[in-house]
Amino acid sequence: ATGEGRPRRQEALVVATLREAGAVPFVRGRTGHAVANPWNGDRSCGGGAAGSAALVATGCVPLAVAADVCGSMLVPAAATGIVGFRPTPARISRKGTPFADQSAFSTSSLAGIGALSRTVGDCELFLRSVCVPSHYDRDVCGTCPFVCKEPPPPTHKKVFRIGYFVPPGCVPAARRALYETVAVLAAAGHATVPLAPAAPAAGATERLA
């Protein structure tokens, strides 16, 4: 559909590519800030892709395609507790979307076509399904091709030294989450080191006052 809700005569290239990969598009989420947050009806989903985020968060759909210029997709993802994936602009074709304008410095040139999902793995599947030669061949001038490669198998386990800091006044829930994360890292064999903030230089407090 267009930004005004009028049906388009031809579907966007990204949708066509997903359909060829076996996806079944069947619904369009409402846009705008007026969509109620499914976890708290007194709050909104916070951005342009609000309806799509609500659909994904409540399990109505496994994945939604969306566009993001300045948080239209990532803010709703954060507000509803799901994964928002915004690739580099032009990584995925904008052909057939309201952001198809290729003019340099236009708002459309900043839009990245990405996905909303409940898992990182589903977003990876989305990228692998779209970033294929047939997708780029149909929009040579409007895309920056990218080929997904299988990661090489690890030859050895890397061990990291990871520092963590508990800020003063940290609320109990955040403190608990931090220590649980530290415990998981330590159990995986990594060295976890508590950090203390550096003391301010002499006279710094007076100069800032």
Side-chain angles (χ1 to χ4, degrees):
T2 65
E4 296 76 26
R6 297 190 303 273
R8 288 182 177 272
R9 295 182 178 180
Q10 185 175 5
E11 63 187 3
L13 178 53
V14 60
V15 176
T17 306
L18 288 170
R19 192 188 297 276
E20 292 164 3
V24 183
F26 67 93
V27 67
R28 176 180 182 270
R30 181 178 179 181
T31 59
H33 296 265
V35 178
N37 193 304
W39 311 128
N40 186 340
D42 294 330
R43 299 178 181 273
S44 75
C45 289
S52 296
L55 289 170
V56 172
T58 53
C60 295
V61 297
L63 184 140
V65 179
D68 190 303
V69 175
C70 190
S72 296
M73 179 172 58
L74 300 184
V75 171
T80 55
I82 61 175
V83 179
F85 175 59
R86 180 189 185 276
T88 302
R91 182 67 71 204
I92 295 175
S93 174
R94 296 180 288 248
K95 187 175 182 179
T97 74
F99 301 94
D101 182 10
Q102 301 297 329
S103 305
F105 309 118
S106 69
T107 302
S108 297
S109 68
L110 303 176
I113 304 297
L116 295 163
S117 183
R118 291 188 294 278
T119 69
V120 174
D122 284 344
C123 287
E124 179 186 6
L125 178 61
F126 162 79
L127 187 67
R128 292 184 179 278
S129 301
V130 174
C131 293
V132 294
S134 61
H135 180 76
Y136 295 120
D137 289 345
R138 284 176 281 181
D139 190 9
V140 176
C141 296
T143 54
C144 181
F146 172 76
V147 178
C148 295
K149 297 181 180 179
E150 293 295 334
T155 55
H156 63 281
K157 181 179 178 180
K158 292 184 178 181
V159 177
F160 296 95
R161 187 168 183 264
I162 304 170
Y164 65 93
F165 168 63
V166 182
C170 183
V171 297
R175 183 185 296 270
R176 182 177 66 251
L178 174 61
Y179 283 125
E180 288 178 356
T181 302
V182 170
V184 170
L185 292 170
H190 302 293
T192 56
V193 182
L195 301 177
T205 304
E206 290 77 6
R207 288 195 296 270
L208 292 174

